Amino acid sequence: MPANRAVIYQGPGRVAIQEIPYPTYEMKDGPGVNKANIGRRTPHGAILRTVASNICGSDQHMVRGRTTAPEGLVLGHEITGEVIDVGPDVEYIKVGDVCSVPFNIACGRCRNCKEGKTGVCLNVNPDRPGSAYGYVDMGGWIGGQAEYVLVPYADWNLLKFPDRDQAMAKILDLAMLTDIFPTGYHGCVSAGVTTGSTVYIAGAGPVGLAAATSAWLLGAAVVIVGDLNEERLAQARSFGCETVNVAQGDPAEQVQQILGRDAPAIGQPLVDSAVDAVGFEARGHGADAQTEMPATVLNALMDLTRAGGAIGVPGLYVTGDPGGVDEAAKVGSLSLRLGLGWAKSHSFVTGQCPVMKYNRNLMMAILHDRVQIAKNVNAVPIPLDQAPQGYQDFDQGAAKKYVLDPHGLVRAGRN
């Protein structure tokens, strides 16, 4: 069997490339593996040679030490790969298929999966509904920032690209299908974005930029992106978004200036829809821009969104945060102005994006040149060995989406 190198979490602020076992069709003990999953057989799985595996902001939460992730955890839940072996129970996926892997691991058999709620599958994580590759408290499935990875329930989970040559020519865009593009799209759909909508998106990281791209795809009239990072805001402006630097003060006042006479005559400047693409490490606005205030974004979105509007919350919130600003935040308890949201009849949708609900249609939009998601999020392929530097640069606010390219296939496919 070939060697298998992977990105390993080594403790707060540290990742390294190490050799790990080649995938098999049985779960073994190891860092983060749920004890009830040890020995679990996966004849329904497939082994993939990793074509691309992206660094995600959710990975950064673990690497910063802001979760209970154990040292030694193999990272990576944004996986695109080529099938090189299939288990005896796999019927439709074939060796040689190039596929997108939804970051949600789902069985396809439980009630939630059958209802399309693949982000909260009941059968893959013994602790609670929902699972993902290489992520804390998600059952212990090995991450895909590696040369090779196992995907369980392959016939159900894998999205096969129709044509290999076409896929490799657009592989950097297609690599966004595993998480951030569907997640940003889900945030917008949850917030009711449609033709003519005015939309405010909190966060200009990759998920926020993917949400902004999705808002345009859904027909929004105005897309406003708020962040503290001017380089990331410039990236949002590069594809037509208006921007708000929340370090300069209350975003409501800046949104008012953008909407101008299109704003409602009564009350504060209000958008139709809002998306939280920041999550639990949010910072304050204005003078508090360097202070962590985890409820800031959600409260600001309730302020900014019109009565009867909706708020999509794809940004990550956790039940355990060792670095939380207070005891409440350490268990995911935030000081929300729920009364404001109630008074304005807001709707909220939270939780993992059910990737399979959207990935095929978004794939078609990419293949038929309806969207340039890789350009909009500034996706940059790098070799696996450069992952530690990629994590460091991303943590410092680089306006890039780093795509790990373990076998050089992304760079070769685009040449």
Side-chain angles (χ1 to χ4, degrees):
M1 292 182 181
N4 188 22
R5 298 184 309 142
V7 181
I8 308 295
Y9 172 60
Q10 294 191 317
R14 295 182 293 120
V15 300
I17 310 301
Q18 296 179 2
E19 190 163 319
I20 64 171
Y22 187 81
T24 67
Y25 297 107
E26 181 179 333
M27 291 186 72
K28 305 291 198 308
D29 195 7
V33 178
N34 191 294
K35 299 303 180 185
N37 267 345
I38 297 171
R40 181 173 184 160
R41 297 185 182 276
T42 56
H44 42 68
I47 295 172
L48 274 60
R49 176 172 66 156
T50 303
V51 173
S53 187
N54 317 330
I55 296 175
C56 180
S58 298
D59 298 320
Q60 286 285 19
H61 293 307
M62 290 188 291
V63 173
R64 292 184 188 123
R66 295 299 299 269
T67 71
T68 56
E71 295 182 17
L73 187 72
V74 182
L75 298 172
H77 58 272
E78 299 191 11
I79 309 162
T80 307
E82 177 187 10
V83 177
I84 59 173
D85 193 71
V86 296
D89 290 353
V90 176
E91 186 174 0
Y92 302 111
I93 291 293
K94 306 298 182 186
V95 171
D97 289 344
V98 179
C99 304
S100 180
V101 184
F103 80 89
N104 325 106
I105 301 173
C107 72
R109 296 153 166 80
C110 70
R111 174 182 178 176
N112 282 352
C113 283
K114 290 180 178 181
E115 293 178 353
K117 301 171 184 175
T118 54
V120 281
C121 173
L122 302 174
N123 289 332
V124 288
N125 184 355
D127 282 343
R128 57 189 172 93
S131 188
Y133 304 87
Y135 211 83
V136 58
D137 296 333
M138 288 291 187
W141 300 90
I142 302 301
Q145 287 176 10
E147 293 174 311
Y148 302 93
V149 64
L150 170 74
V151 174
Y153 304 102
D155 281 329
W156 170 252
N157 283 306
L158 291 176
L159 173 67
K160 176 185 172 182
F161 300 139
D163 180 86
R164 179 189 177 91
D165 291 341
Q166 181 191 33
M168 293 309 298
K170 295 179 177 289
I171 195 62
L172 202 55
D173 290 279
L174 293 170
M176 303 301 116
L177 287 174
T178 188
D179 182 354
I180 67 163
F181 195 9
T183 293
Y185 193 85
H186 177 61
C188 287
V189 170
S190 301
V193 177
T194 187
T195 305
S197 295
T198 55
V199 186
Y200 180 81
I201 296 167
V207 171
L209 296 172
T213 301
S214 300
W216 289 130
L217 195 59
L218 288 163
V222 181
V223 179
I224 306 168
V225 180
D227 203 289
L228 303 162
N229 183 319
E230 272 297 339
E231 185 181 2
R232 290 181 170 181
L233 291 173
Q235 185 63 30
R237 289 192 294 271
S238 75
F239 58 97
C241 301
E242 302 284 351
T243 60
V244 163
N245 188 330
V246 298
Q248 296 175 4
D250 185 351
E253 297 178 4
Q254 299 179 66
V255 169
Q256 174 71 75
Q257 294 174 7
I258 293 168
L259 293 178
R261 59 186 171 195
D262 294 328
I266 300 174
Q268 297 186 18
L270 304 177
V271 292
D272 298 314
S273 305
V275 177
D276 175 2
V278 178
F280 74 103
E281 287 192 68
R283 298 185 182 277
H285 298 152
D288 295 321
Q290 299 308 312
T291 303
E292 187 168 314
M293 302 174 68
T296 297
V297 168
L298 290 171
N299 287 331
L301 296 191
M302 285 186 279
D303 216 17
L304 278 165
T305 305
R306 67 175 176 84
I311 299 170
V313 190
L316 176 67
Y317 289 87
V318 296
T319 56
D321 174 13
V325 294
D326 53 37
E327 292 305 310
K330 290 179 181 179
V331 294
S333 181
L334 308 181
S335 297
L336 297 180
R337 295 186 64 195
L338 190 59
L340 175 61
W342 188 93
K344 296 173 78 174
S345 293
H346 286 158
S347 63
F348 299 78
V349 176
T350 66
Q352 285 189 38
C353 164
V355 171
M356 293 175 67
K357 183 175 181 179
Y358 309 106
N359 62 352
R360 185 187 182 279
N361 288 346
L362 293 176
M363 174 188 74
M364 296 300 288
I366 290 169
L367 294 178
H368 292 277
D369 299 317
R370 300 299 300 166
V371 66
Q372 293 183 302
I373 183 64
K375 179 181 178 181
N376 289 1
V377 303
N378 197 19
V380 177
I382 61 175
L384 186 68
D385 288 333
Q386 292 182 17
Q389 186 64 49
Y391 267 95
Q392 182 177 337
D393 292 348
F394 189 43
D395 190 51
Q396 292 175 353
K400 297 177 180 179
K401 175 67 172 177
Y402 289 106
V403 178
L404 301 182
D405 185 12
H407 301 280
L409 297 171
V410 174
R411 287 161 290 169
R414 298 172 67 232
N415 293 332

